[in-house]
């Protein structure tokens, strides 16, 4: 059974600082890894998708890396802004389903 | 392009009742999956449908069921509701290929009293 762990559980940084969010998973037989953002009481917004054959993906201030052999992914958010405050979820895809981590709740202080 | 639409947005039920939640995927998407989100267990996979066929099912009791219609719209049903079924139920739609991104709706917040 796939287990996905996200560290840290919560993070508070001043505006402008770079964010580093970590995700690890136990079974490396995955199709892809997806990072999501969730605002309180809302659904999930997809941020980045990395296929199992890829090493990283970038979108604007976001960059995500994937090391399948070691079961790790890292999401970097450059020059954080208060609007980046949210919970970030990592999800591993295989067998037509996603296995989610518990998330990292980020607070960016103005 | 319209996003994933889930109805209703909020539901309040009492123990023992049953409930049906609806999900309309993004136009052209044929895969629909359902997830339950609770503060204690986080996000857990319920089931996935593609062209009216269930391809995978999570570890939930038989009280949780779903189906998909020929227009790709999906419903999930929970019978004999328990207090522990209170959760945010999220639907996601995706294109044919498993490697593609999933898009989530805003969810249905179910409260069981």
């Amino acid at each position: 059974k796939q287990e996905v762990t996200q560290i840290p559980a919560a993070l508070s940084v001043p505006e402008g600082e770079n964010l580093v969010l970590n995700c690890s998973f136990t079974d490396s037989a995955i199709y892809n890894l997806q990072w999501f953002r969730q605002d309180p009481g809302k659904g999930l917004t997809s941020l980045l998708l990395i296929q199992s054959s890829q090493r990283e993906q970038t979108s604007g201030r976001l960059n995500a890396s994937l090391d399948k052999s070691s079961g790790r992914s890292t999401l970097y958010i450059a020059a954080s802004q208060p609007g980046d405050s949210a919970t970030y979820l990592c999800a591993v895809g295989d067998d037509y389903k996603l296995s989610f981590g518990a998330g990292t709740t980020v607070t960016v202080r103005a | 392009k319209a996003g994933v639409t889930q109805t209703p947005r909020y539901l309040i039920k009492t123990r023992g009742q049953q409930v049906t939640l609806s999900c309309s995927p993004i136009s052209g998407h044929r895969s629909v999956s359902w997830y339950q989100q609770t503060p204690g267990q986080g996000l857990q996979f319920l089931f996935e449908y593609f062209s009216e066929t269930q391809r995978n099912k999570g570890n939930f009791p038989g009280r949780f069921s779903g189906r998909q219609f020929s227009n790709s719209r999906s419903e999930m049903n929970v019978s004999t509701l328990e207090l522990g079924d209170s959760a945010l139920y999220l639907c996601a739609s995706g294109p044919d290929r498993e490697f593609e991104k999933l898009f989530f709706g805003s969810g249905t917040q179910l409260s069981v009293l």
Side-chain angles (χ1 to χ4, degrees), chain A residues 12-19 61 78-85 107-110:
Chain A
S12 178
V13 300
E15 183 176 3
E17 197 162 296
N18 297 333
L19 291 164
R61 295 184 295 112
S80 61
Q81 304 167 359
D84 294 330
S85 298
T107 303
V108 181
R109 309 186 302 273

Side-chain angles (χ1 to χ4, degrees), chain B residues 45-73:
Chain B
F45 170 74
L46 282 156
F47 23 67
E48 190 266 359
Y49 291 89
F50 179 82
S51 292
E52 302 179 69
T53 299
Q54 186 182 88
R55 294 194 293 192
N56 200 351
K57 185 178 191 303
N59 190 25
F60 278 82
R63 300 185 297 107
F64 292 81
S65 63
R67 60 178 175 170
Q68 186 180 34
F69 302 97
S70 58
N71 62 359
S72 295
R73 192 176 70 84

Side-chain angles (χ1 to χ4, degrees), chain B residues 44 48 75:
Chain B
Q44 293 185 289
E48 190 266 359
E75 289 181 348

